[in-house]
Amino acid sequence: ALRSDAEKLLQEYVLAQSASVGAHTSRLVEDQDLLESPAPIAVRDAAKEIIVHMSALSNDTSQLLPGSLKQTQPSSGAVVWSQPRASPTSGTSSSDVAKLFQQKVELFTPLSFTYASVIAAIMKRSIKDCTELVRQKTWGVHALQQMQVDTYYLRGTLPTQLAEDGAIDSLIDDLLVSIVERCLDPVPLSSDAVLGMLREL
């Protein structure tokens, strides 16, 4: 009975914190004119605020559960940005999308009483909710390109274990592919263009 009660509390904590993080991820969609936004020139503050919020949440959660997450990048000094892997937004067709997501992402895997499990569950739910919001909108090319920049920033600044989580990576890909499907003129930025903006941070 005690374990059942603890598991229920843990689920409620994940749901509440997912809603909190989701309020920040939704700003990636809502804080721009999706059809008339200008060409991207930098990572937006909305993306940076997600990392700030996740860091604060990580600190709070680490007081409750065992384990810790390592930051992908050192806390001091410049971030070293590497070449993005092949983007799911490049040359995407409907058949490509179907093949890309034949393998289901296990979003609602059983929680364990560890810091990493809880933080990963919160991040997965937040990205999934943002994707559902994305699918309700019509996108212009510059809004698509801005999301490329913002999501690559997120990939590079999440704690190491989250950045290496295949489910989180797939969910970010799913978000981008969903934008492509809803975009009037889906022309993604090149990897070099994305890196150029990130290296100016």
Side-chain angles (χ1 to χ4, degrees):
L2 285 176
R3 182 171 182 82
S4 177
D5 289 344
E7 289 174 347
K8 183 178 179 181
L9 286 172
L10 192 62
Q11 289 282 0
E12 290 176 352
Y13 178 79
V14 168
L15 289 173
Q17 296 304 325
S18 297
S20 177
V21 176
H24 290 272
T25 56
S26 66
R27 287 189 56 201
L28 293 175
V29 179
E30 295 171 342
D31 280 10
Q32 62 176 324
D33 184 332
L34 298 180
L35 294 177
E36 300 295 336
S37 57
I41 57 173
V43 176
R44 287 178 295 159
D45 288 343
K48 296 176 183 178
E49 287 170 7
I50 292 171
I51 297 300
V52 170
H53 188 76
M54 284 299 297
S55 295
L57 175 60
S58 294
N59 289 334
D60 292 342
T61 305
S62 68
Q63 305 301 313
L64 304 173
L65 295 165
S68 62
L69 296 183
K70 298 177 181 178
Q71 287 298 126
T72 302
Q73 304 290 349
S75 57
S76 61
V79 173
V80 179
W81 296 100
S82 59
Q83 187 75 9
R85 60 182 175 77
S87 171
T89 56
S90 301
T92 305
S93 67
S94 58
S95 61
D96 293 331
V97 173
K99 290 177 183 176
L100 187 60
F101 296 104
Q102 279 176 351
Q103 187 172 7
K104 299 284 186 179
V105 171
E106 290 294 330
L107 179 59
F108 301 109
T109 52
L111 281 172
S112 62
F113 287 86
T114 65
Y115 173 78
S117 175
V118 169
I119 291 295
I122 292 168
M123 196 66 199
K124 289 174 189 177
R125 287 176 181 271
S126 301
I127 298 169
K128 186 68 174 175
D129 289 346
C130 187
T131 301
E132 294 304 317
L133 180 60
V134 157
R135 290 170 177 163
Q136 299 172 21
K137 309 291 185 180
T138 301
W139 292 72
V141 61
H142 291 153
L144 161 64
Q145 293 171 351
Q146 182 66 66
M147 286 292 277
Q148 275 186 275
V149 176
D150 294 339
T151 55
Y152 189 68
Y153 169 81
L154 293 178
R155 289 186 205 261
T157 50
L158 285 172
T160 300
Q161 290 95 324
L162 295 188
E164 294 175 351
D165 187 315
I168 290 177
D169 214 37
S170 292
L171 285 168
I172 293 176
D173 284 348
D174 191 13
L175 185 150
L176 288 172
V177 170
S178 296
I179 295 174
V180 169
E181 290 182 312
R182 299 287 301 165
C183 185
L184 298 177
D185 183 22
V187 181
L189 290 170
S190 68
S191 296
D192 287 343
V194 173
L195 281 175
M197 295 180 212
L198 294 171
R199 286 171 177 160
E200 292 179 3
L201 290 174

